[in-house]
Structure formats: C-alpha cells, structure tokens
Amino acid sequence: MTPELLAFIMFGVTIVILILGFPVALSLAGSAILFAFIGDQLDLFRFAFLNLSPTRIFSTMKNEPLVAVPLFVYMGVVLQRSDIAGQLLESMGQLFGKMRGGLGYSVVIVGALLAASTGIVGATVVTMGLMSLPVMLKAGYNPKVASGIICASGTLGQIIPPSIVLVLLASILQGVNEEAAALIGNLAPDPVTAIDLFAGALIPGLLLVGLYLGWVFILTIIRPDDVPSMKDESVHAPTFGTLLKAVLPPLILIVLVLGSILAGIATPTESAAVGAIGAMVLAWQSKKLNFALFRDVGLETVKVSSMVFLIIIGAGLFSTVFKGFGGDDVIAEFLRHLPGGAFSALLLVMLLMFFLGFFLDFIEIIYVVVPIVGPILIALGYDPLWLGVMIAINLQTSFLTPPFGFALFYLRGVAPKDFKTSDLYAGVLPFIAIQILALALLWTFPSLVTWLPDLLF
C-alpha cells in the first residue's frame, strides 16, 4: 500500500463517518489520528509529525481575524432574539402587501438586510419561515413559490458581508495563496484579507438579490395567481415613522459594521465588536434587553463558537495528515494534467464542493477541501479573491439543493405540519437555476468581484 492510497482511504472513511451523523470535529480529528497511527505502523507516516499540532492549535486561537466569528455570532443572535427581524418583516409586508408579488419582494429585501446584519443562515431562514410563511400561504401564495423565496433569501447570509463564511474563507485563503505563490516562485504574494473578500462579495450578493427580485417580478407576469396581493382590508401601508423605526436600526448597524470595514476605519474584528455592542443597544431600545436574553445569547454564542473552533482544529489535523501522506500532491498533479486545463480543474472542484455541500456543513468544506485544492487552482492562474467568492456562492447553492440542503431542513422544521416536503423541494429549483446563472456571470465577468476591491484598496 502507498501513502497516497491511504490518504484517499482516510478521506473516504471520514466522509462516510460524517454522513452517518457523528460529531464533525471529533470525526475529522479522530480519523486523522487513527490513520496517522496506521500509517506509522505501516512505515508510511511518522506519528511524531503530529507533535506540531498543539502549536498550530495555539496559533489558531491567537488568530485575530477569527475573533470576529464569536462577535458576529453574538450580534446575529441578539438581533434574532430581540425581535428586530420580526418588526422589519411586518413593516415590509405592510408596505408591499397590496402589490402583486409584494410579500415576495418584502421577504427578499428583509432577507438581504438580515444577511448584512447577522450573517447566520439558520437564524434567518427560521425567523422568516415562522413569520412570513403562514402570512404568504394565507394570502394565497403557491406553497412552492413561498418556500422557495424564503429559503433562497435566508441563504443570502452566506455571501452578503459581513458573513461568517467569508471570515473563515479569508483565514484559509491567505495561507492557500502563500502556498500557491511558492509553487510558481512568487516570494511576495498580495495578501488576501477578510476586508478584500467582503468588498469582493458585495456586488455578487447584490446581484443575487436583484435576480431574486427579478424572478418574483417575472412570476407576477407569467403566473400571477401564484403571487397575489394581500386582500386583507386590515392591512394598511405603514406610516413613515413606523417604517423608519423598523428599517433604521438594522440599516444603522449595517453602516456601522460594513461601512467601517470598507472605508478602512476598522478591521473586521473591530467592526464585529462594534456590531455586537450596537446589537445590544438596539435590543435595549426595543425594550427586549434583560438578564434572560443576555444569558441565552451568551450561551448560544459559546455553543456556536465552540463548534466552529473545534471543527477548525479537527480540520487542521485532518489536513496535516492528508498532506503528510502526499494526497495533496496527487490531487495537484491530477488537476494540472486534466484535459481542458485550468477551466476543467476549476469546474471539477466546484462540482465536488457542490456535491459535498449536500452532506457537509460549509465549515468542514472550507477547512478540509480548500487547503487541498486551493493552491493548485491559484497557481493555475485564478485570482484568490475571485475564487473565494465563487466558492462562497457555490456553497450557498448547495444549501438550497434537495434532498439534503440545510436551508430546506431549517424551513421544514418550522413549516406547518400539512406543508408538503415535495412543494419545498420544487420551490427552490428556480432559485438553484438563478444561483447557477450568477456563477456563470461571475465566471464570465470576473470584474464583478474584483472591481470594488481594486477601487477601494
């Protein structure tokens, strides 16, 4: 047996373990340690190589950009628990409700605002599912259309900054870019930061919002009965003051967090701290801030952040062993000699990530797959910033894809009991097509990603 073969056996076994539902962090770390021991016994790997792991774990925990993760999680949980999202949905629904397709427009707009405020997909989908799905069904919306709009809008938190996905991607792409530079003999590569990735993802995120709104508009023309206006006479357009009170708080938070990052005033970590404090102020203003909320938000933040960092540590161990077996060299040679060159290599990697997105969370894919395939793709000539945005949108698409899309599970969990899962699956298909269209546009016009970072920085 060769070490390369053992590397791919380890990869396959790990995927099977994850699909069976074992805890992700323990599965990654456990399989890495197990196969490192097997490799040591077969004289294919030196187990002592893992002695460096504690140092890597310590450097991970000291990584300042990753401190933004618990702060952004805290901000998102506060906004979710303080009912700011509910007030925003209610006001937007009243504003657009009398218009054909109005509820669809309002859900997409609120999804975008929540994405730019919280960046947590599960929280957004669940919140909008609880509040808007019953209203849309009562108004006469086709269940397929209603569920598709909610799921797609909820996943915007994957790509619209400030996004936890982009923070984690940036932390990986920096090292990947340095490895790629070493492969081609570039000793001083340009850094890839979360700020760059935020700026690069902004226009693609807004492009997706525009495409979603465009699809709702097309439905009002080709299938108007699927997206009716609200006929409830008790629904009145909100007053300017009411609308301002609902929309202004998240807008202020977006400007404070995202504006300070893009303007170069603050780092993502600093702006995340401002966002966390700002979310608490908004909760206090809405009279939702109390000890119970403070305690629940703290516990939820610790749970989510611990999960993220444990996965990062486990994935680091996995990557170390996989590369120690030489698996990354085999993949690099395979991608480099594919017919069709760089195009085929990227297409194959994107298809692999899309497939893995059915079964694995985005964190595992980012920390397991990207370090392996990223260096060779960048060495083949792809811009690391553009590649990061393409990966983020690809993972967002996998969140929507039946039968295992995570957004589908979130909405199914809060939908009425008589709501058909088949309607949910059928409803997201047009939005999957929109996602693929967006990827094709970004592939054809890379400047959609690179223009704003070049302009700002």
Side-chain angles (χ1 to χ4, degrees):
M1 180 179 290
T2 63
E4 293 82 4
L5 178 59
L6 196 59
F8 288 99
I9 292 174
M10 180 183 75
F11 189 88
V13 168
T14 304
I15 295 297
V16 171
I17 291 173
L18 291 173
I19 292 173
L20 291 175
F22 285 88
V24 175
L26 300 181
S27 300
L28 291 171
S31 60
I33 293 171
L34 173 63
F35 277 87
F37 178 76
I38 294 172
D40 186 68
Q41 295 300 306
L42 297 175
D43 204 22
L44 301 175
F45 183 87
R46 291 190 63 187
F47 196 81
F49 192 54
L50 294 185
N51 290 340
L52 297 174
S53 296
T55 305
R56 292 187 61 177
I57 292 171
F58 188 67
S59 63
T60 298
M61 303 308 292
K62 283 175 56 181
N63 189 346
E64 184 183 342
L66 290 180
V67 177
V69 172
L71 292 171
F72 278 134
V73 170
Y74 188 89
M75 182 179 75
V77 177
V78 170
L79 291 175
Q80 178 197 0
R81 300 290 177 89
S82 59
D83 200 34
I84 291 172
Q87 295 172 15
L88 187 59
L89 267 171
E90 185 178 347
S91 297
M92 284 293 177
Q94 291 173 350
L95 181 63
F96 292 104
K98 291 293 185 180
M99 182 192 307
R100 188 176 294 279
L103 282 175
Y105 295 135
S106 65
V107 169
V108 173
I109 293 170
V110 170
L113 289 173
L114 290 180
S117 305
T118 67
I120 303 176
V121 171
T124 306
V125 173
V126 168
T127 299
M128 294 202 297
L130 286 170
M131 296 184 170
S132 57
L133 183 59
V135 176
M136 295 175 86
L137 295 177
K138 183 181 178 182
Y141 269 64
N142 186 316
K144 298 175 185 177
V145 172
S147 58
I149 292 172
I150 292 171
C151 281
S153 303
T155 59
L156 287 170
Q158 289 277 92
I159 186 64
I160 293 181
S163 161
I164 295 172
V165 176
L166 298 178
V167 173
L168 297 175
L169 253 178
S171 70
I172 282 294
L173 283 174
Q174 178 59 46
V176 165
N177 191 40
E178 291 172 358
E179 284 186 46
L183 289 175
I184 59 177
N186 179 6
L187 300 179
D190 292 332
V192 180
T193 66
I195 298 176
D196 298 323
L197 213 51
F198 282 2
L202 187 58
I203 291 177
L206 295 177
L207 172 66
L208 280 174
V209 174
L211 291 173
Y212 290 173
L213 291 172
W215 173 243
V216 176
F217 176 74
I218 291 171
L219 285 176
T220 64
I221 298 173
I222 62 173
R223 301 207 312 256
D225 292 341
D226 286 354
V227 285
S229 58
M230 293 183 70
K231 298 179 177 60
D232 189 346
E233 295 300 325
S234 64
V235 175
H236 301 288
T239 64
F240 180 75
T242 304
L243 184 62
L244 200 63
K245 185 179 178 182
V247 174
L248 200 57
L251 280 179
I252 291 174
L253 199 61
I254 291 168
V255 171
L256 283 174
V257 175
L258 189 55
S260 62
I261 294 172
L262 298 182
I265 299 171
T267 66
T269 303
E270 292 166 347
S271 65
V274 172
I277 294 172
M280 294 292 285
V281 172
L282 295 182
W284 171 74
Q285 264 190 334
S286 63
K287 298 181 180 179
K288 299 287 184 179
L289 185 61
N290 52 44
F291 178 75
L293 180 128
F294 192 73
R295 178 197 61 206
D296 293 345
V297 168
L299 288 173
E300 186 67 20
T301 302
V302 169
K303 287 178 184 177
V304 175
S305 302
S306 300
M307 177 198 71
V308 170
F309 280 95
L310 274 173
I311 291 173
I312 291 173
I313 292 168
L317 272 171
F318 183 89
S319 296
T320 298
V321 175
F322 187 84
K323 291 181 178 181
F325 283 133
D328 57 329
D329 294 331
V330 175
I331 290 175
E333 284 300 308
F334 174 74
L335 293 178
R336 190 179 285 116
H337 293 97
L338 270 178
F343 177 87
S344 298
L346 181 59
L347 181 62
L348 182 63
V349 169
M350 295 295 279
L351 290 173
L352 173 65
M353 288 188 177
F354 179 77
F355 175 74
L356 290 177
F358 290 174
F359 311 102
L360 308 181
D361 199 11
F362 65 89
I363 304 173
E364 299 99 83
I365 296 174
I366 288 172
Y367 276 87
V368 173
V369 180
V370 175
I372 295 172
V373 300
I376 184 60
L377 290 177
I378 296 173
L380 287 172
Y382 289 113
D383 183 280
L385 183 60
W386 175 84
L387 181 63
V389 173
M390 291 287 284
I391 290 171
I393 294 181
N394 189 4
L395 294 178
Q396 180 196 353
T397 307
S398 67
F399 258 67
L400 287 171
T401 306
F404 303 110
F406 285 94
L408 308 180
F409 292 146
Y410 294 142
L411 185 58
R412 175 67 269 187
V414 297
K417 291 183 179 179
D418 57 349
F419 189 85
K420 296 180 181 177
T421 303
S422 58
D423 287 342
L424 177 59
Y425 288 173
V428 296
L429 294 180
F431 292 95
I432 294 171
I434 289 173
Q435 296 285 134
I436 295 172
L437 173 62
L439 283 170
L441 288 172
L442 296 180
W443 202 322
T444 308
F445 305 105
S447 58
L448 288 170
V449 174
T450 58
W451 175 77
L452 187 58
D454 290 342
L455 179 68
L456 292 176
F457 310 124

